[in-house]
Amino acid sequence: MNVVPRHCDNDPSAGARNLLLNCAGCQPGDRVLIVFEAEEHGYFDRDVLHTVQREALRLGLEVSSFDVGFKPTRNRLPSALTKRLGLYDVVLFLARLGDQLRFSNLPKGPKFIVCFASNRYLLGSRFGRANYDALCRVKQAIDSAIHSAQHVTLRCPNGTQVTGHVRDKSVAPQDTTALRFPMSVFSPVAANAFSGQVALGGFLTGTGSSYYDDYSVEFEGPVFAEVKAGRLVAFHGAPSDVSRANAQYDRVSETFGLDRNCVHSWHAGIHPGCGFPWDLRRNYELWGGAAFGNPRVLHFHTCGADAPGEISWNVFDPTIEVDGVCVWENGRLQIERLTNGCDILDDFPGLRPLFADPDRNIGLRHAH
């Protein structure tokens, strides 16, 4: 992991308690299994594991751990882990396996949680410490607004212009089968009734479902994806960039046997405390697993008919207009414009300073 920035307002222990108490809902005596991958794999820092273990013991929880390692492609829980699940109340993933399985059917019984605070800094920052229940209320309000809307428009300063709506309003918003911590995004919005052009933000990258060689490709100039009713029609830009994009889609879709041109869904970050103070180009995999929760980032799940697909489109500084109301404006989530948004701010006073002073760092420029 890159060097962790110094920050005067950083308390990893508080982030761990938020995870265990507010997200997991742990009570003294509960049994917690931490499924982790070792720091040597280059993604999760061991400090996060040690901090969560320590706080769990302080809270009177029974804590066990399971080193699951890391495999680039994985679509099921290892049998050795599955056999143990019935012994625990909570299964916490400090491993990419949780992210890889986040849309899968997980066994009934324990509460499954996927942690996206992959290092001590993220766990202790406002990202990890912001009240989990408060962000859940924000998510629910956004889900309701977008799901019921007749007209949704997505724009960005780079030229994104997409319009549509949720086609089947009889089906409730569907999210991951494991809980996310921190709560970072609203439920994915089906893209089958959305059309327009998407500015790709300078690159294509994976979705955290599988990891493969040439996981990300960068462009030399602006590239746009043309979408019609949830289908990729074409890429537009310099010929070399268009060729690079098409080659990535050909290769990935053929490798995994996927519907190449399916644009499955989209959603945006809802967590103003989610910052990424490192250069995203140094580690696209880590960036894609952390910075997506910032309201400055909207991403599409593409290349595959099931969420999350294998290739992500990232739109920066989105404006999301819901039935004429700009709920996002140039990458800022205007929570007070939501129905019940002001009630949420009143119920959770800690949200007001968070939304008034959001973290705008999403890795576009290296910063300590």
Side-chain angles (χ1 to χ4, degrees):
M1 178 57 207
N2 300 315
V3 175
V4 174
R6 297 179 182 275
H7 198 288
C8 61
D9 185 24
N10 194 279
D11 186 351
S13 295
R17 291 192 296 274
N18 187 30
L19 164 58
L20 294 166
L21 297 175
N22 295 325
C23 178
C26 289
Q27 301 290 329
D30 280 353
R31 298 158 298 175
V32 177
L33 176 65
I34 302 177
V35 179
F36 72 97
E37 66 175 77
E39 184 177 69
E40 287 69 27
H41 294 292
Y43 197 93
F44 276 89
D45 290 357
R46 64 172 60 90
D47 279 348
V48 175
L49 171 63
H50 294 163
T51 300
V52 174
Q53 286 175 324
R54 182 177 64 249
E55 292 305 313
L57 292 172
R58 287 177 177 172
L59 293 169
L61 310 179
E62 297 181 19
V63 186
S64 302
S65 59
F66 185 97
D67 184 349
V68 76
F70 171 68
K71 290 186 177 180
T73 58
R74 206 166 204 169
N75 58 11
R76 61 177 61 89
L77 293 166
S79 58
L81 175 58
T82 303
K83 292 175 182 177
R84 299 179 58 177
L85 295 180
L87 301 174
Y88 300 97
D89 302 296
V90 174
V91 176
L92 168 64
F93 287 99
L94 299 180
R96 278 171 286 183
L97 175 62
D99 200 17
Q100 290 172 311
L101 299 179
R102 66 190 186 275
F103 288 101
S104 304
N105 291 323
L106 294 169
K108 297 187 182 300
K111 181 182 294 185
F112 290 92
I113 300 170
V114 179
C115 180
F116 293 95
S118 57
N119 62 56
R120 183 179 175 85
Y121 171 79
L122 293 173
L123 183 63
S125 71
R126 296 186 301 167
F127 182 46
R129 297 191 338 264
N131 186 283
Y132 177 82
D133 295 321
L135 271 300
C136 285
R137 285 276 301 278
V138 173
K139 173 186 181 292
Q140 291 162 4
I142 295 168
D143 281 352
S144 177
I146 293 178
H147 188 75
S148 62
Q150 298 302 309
H151 192 77
V152 178
T153 299
L154 314 178
R155 300 190 299 273
C156 83
N158 293 321
T160 296
Q161 184 71 36
V162 175
T163 60
H165 60 277
V166 174
R167 177 175 290 166
D168 189 352
K169 299 187 185 303
S170 66
V171 178
Q174 302 295 309
D175 207 344
T176 53
T177 49
L179 297 177
R180 304 175 190 268
F181 178 85
M183 178 54 69
S184 307
V185 286
F186 54 87
S187 299
V189 179
N192 57 4
F194 283 82
S195 301
Q197 71 170 14
V198 179
L200 296 185
F203 60 90
L204 296 172
T205 191
T207 63
S209 175
S210 301
Y211 295 86
Y212 40 84
D213 292 340
D214 298 320
Y215 184 80
S216 305
V217 294
E218 296 182 351
F219 302 127
E220 295 177 0
V223 177
F224 299 90
E226 181 184 349
V227 182
K228 185 173 182 180
R231 302 292 298 178
L232 168 63
V233 176
F235 293 107
H236 301 286
S240 60
D241 285 336
V242 170
S243 177
R244 190 174 293 117
N246 280 318
Q248 185 77 341
Y249 270 76
D250 291 342
R251 182 176 66 89
V252 173
S253 62
E254 290 170 7
T255 298
F256 296 104
L258 301 172
D259 182 344
R260 178 193 191 276
N261 295 327
C262 181
V263 180
H264 183 276
S265 53
W266 62 272
H267 53 180
I270 66 170
H271 198 317
C274 176
F276 193 85
W278 306 280
D279 185 346
L280 68 86
R281 289 172 176 81
R282 293 180 63 184
N283 192 329
Y284 278 104
E285 292 92 337
L286 185 62
W287 179 85
F292 71 94
N294 191 298
R296 292 189 65 194
V297 181
L298 179 153
H299 70 269
F300 284 79
H301 304 133
T302 81
C303 195
D306 297 312
E310 287 294 343
I311 299 178
S312 174
W313 297 344
N314 290 277
V315 174
F316 297 133
D317 294 324
T319 292
I320 305 177
E321 186 177 312
V322 182
D323 282 341
V325 177
C326 289
V327 181
W328 268 252
E329 194 162 8
N330 293 320
R332 290 190 69 139
L333 172 54
Q334 310 290 342
I335 184 176
E336 71 282 355
R337 298 178 185 174
L338 288 165
T339 301
N340 300 326
C342 290
D343 293 337
I344 297 172
L345 292 173
D346 289 341
D347 291 344
F348 297 94
L351 283 183
R352 287 190 182 276
L354 195 63
F355 278 92
D357 182 27
D359 193 326
R360 301 286 290 173
N361 202 334
I362 55 172
L364 294 181
R365 286 183 293 179
H366 184 59
H368 289 289

